[in-house]
Amino acid sequence: MTKTPINLLLSDPPAHRATIALSEGADPRVVQGGLAAIQAGLADVILVGDAGAVEEALADQGAEASDHLTIHDPATSPLSDSFAEAFFDLRKHRGVDMQAAQAAVQSPLVYAAMLVRTGHATGTVGGAVATTSDVVRTAIQVIGKAPDAAMISSFFLMYPPEQATPHGRAMLYSDSGLVIDPSADELAEIAAASARSCRSLMREEPKLAFLSFSTKGSARHEKVTKVTDALAKLQAAHPDLHADGELQFDAAFVPSVGASKAPESEIAGQANIMIFPNLDAGNIGYKMTQRLGGYAAIGPILQGLAKPANDLSRGCSAADVTEMIAVTVLQAMD
């Protein structure tokens, strides 16, 4: 049976209960998803937003603040002054003055990210209302890249429906939400980060397929060369990883096709990480898998940050919020 992040987290909880800051604390889906996470024992929750609006949203769910659920209103929070000073120090090289910093931390997105940066929260989740660009920009500006990360990228966790094909399986699609046209160097970095994400969120050994419209030289083009160059760079930097390319999707996914098109490959037909050559392919691919194949798509999940911050779709459900909270906690455990 496929184990989703919630299942994995419940079977292997962190030593200390995590705290996740939800930057859209008055949104009914966010409130419902946060309450479900608390009830399941996944994490404590901070709802960020106007206190009156958050309290009203909680009341609609028959809930209120508690030991496991707190409300932070940036307009009245005693942390806002210190957050403004920290934000000023972070962004003054970009021309941000103290007045602008004080205004910035009134944004729930910025305030929630500052909770993470300063250790008041384990991670943050937003995007039920805010755009992906706002969520990602705030995370990069406030939380920043991990010391060993060359870039920030994203992926989707794809989970098969109950009535999946015999070879249906959980997979990681990257990058399907952020990097538009990665170079070969960037593709290699995306792949390395995705391998780490696979271990932490799927608890599986990574098997990476670099996707293309060609399989093992069946076509020659500069777009194919970029993919094979990326594979070579990954193998040089991470010889321990199991990866292959270039592979067409069917060769990477279906065992019989993989055996036919790439008989000497250890990855063909077995891949659990699909590395797409650009955002066009990745975004279209995950949506087709979701809408035609019936797969559940969790994401976009960000990788490469110093501490976890994740984006929701504006069409998300309460269940999506709960699942993303579990993802964020698992990332913090890595």
Side-chain angles (χ1 to χ4, degrees), residues 154 175-182 276-285:
S154 77
D175 186 326
S176 298
L178 188 59
V179 184
I180 295 174
D181 189 17
F276 290 87
N278 55 46
L279 190 58
D280 280 333
N283 194 268
I284 293 167

Side-chain angles (χ1 to χ4, degrees), residues 104-194:
V105 299
Q106 294 303 303
S107 159
L109 273 177
V110 174
Y111 183 96
M114 288 300 305
L115 285 171
V116 178
R117 181 179 178 87
T118 57
H120 290 86
T122 310
T124 182
V125 175
V129 178
T131 65
T132 293
S133 60
D134 285 342
V135 172
V136 173
R137 181 173 59 252
T138 300
I140 293 173
Q141 289 180 351
V142 176
I143 297 173
K145 290 190 302 183
D148 59 346
M151 61 187 296
I152 308 297
S153 58
S154 77
F155 61 93
F156 278 80
L157 287 174
M158 308 298 297
Y159 289 100
E162 290 185 8
Q163 302 300 321
T165 60
H167 42 268
R169 57 186 177 272
M171 294 176 288
L172 190 155
Y173 281 17
S174 190
D175 186 326
S176 298
L178 188 59
V179 184
I180 295 174
D181 189 17
S183 65
D185 286 319
E186 289 172 329
L187 271 182
E189 173 61 26
I190 289 168
S194 299

Side-chain angles (χ1 to χ4, degrees), residues 70 80 117 144 156 175 182 213 218 221:
T70 55
S80 289
R117 181 179 178 87
F156 278 80
D175 186 326
F213 60 83
S218 64
H221 191 274

Side-chain angles (χ1 to χ4, degrees), residues 20 123-125 308-310 323-333:
I20 303 301
T124 182
V125 175
N310 282 310
E323 198 78 65
M324 192 63 85
I325 289 171
V327 164
T328 306
V329 175
L330 285 171
Q331 285 180 311
M333 293 170 61

Side-chain angles (χ1 to χ4, degrees), residues 283-305:
N283 194 268
I284 293 167
Y286 104 77
K287 289 183 183 293
M288 291 184 70
T289 305
Q290 180 186 34
R291 300 302 179 184
L292 295 179
Y295 273 61
I298 302 174
I301 300 166
L302 302 180
Q303 55 189 6
L305 290 167

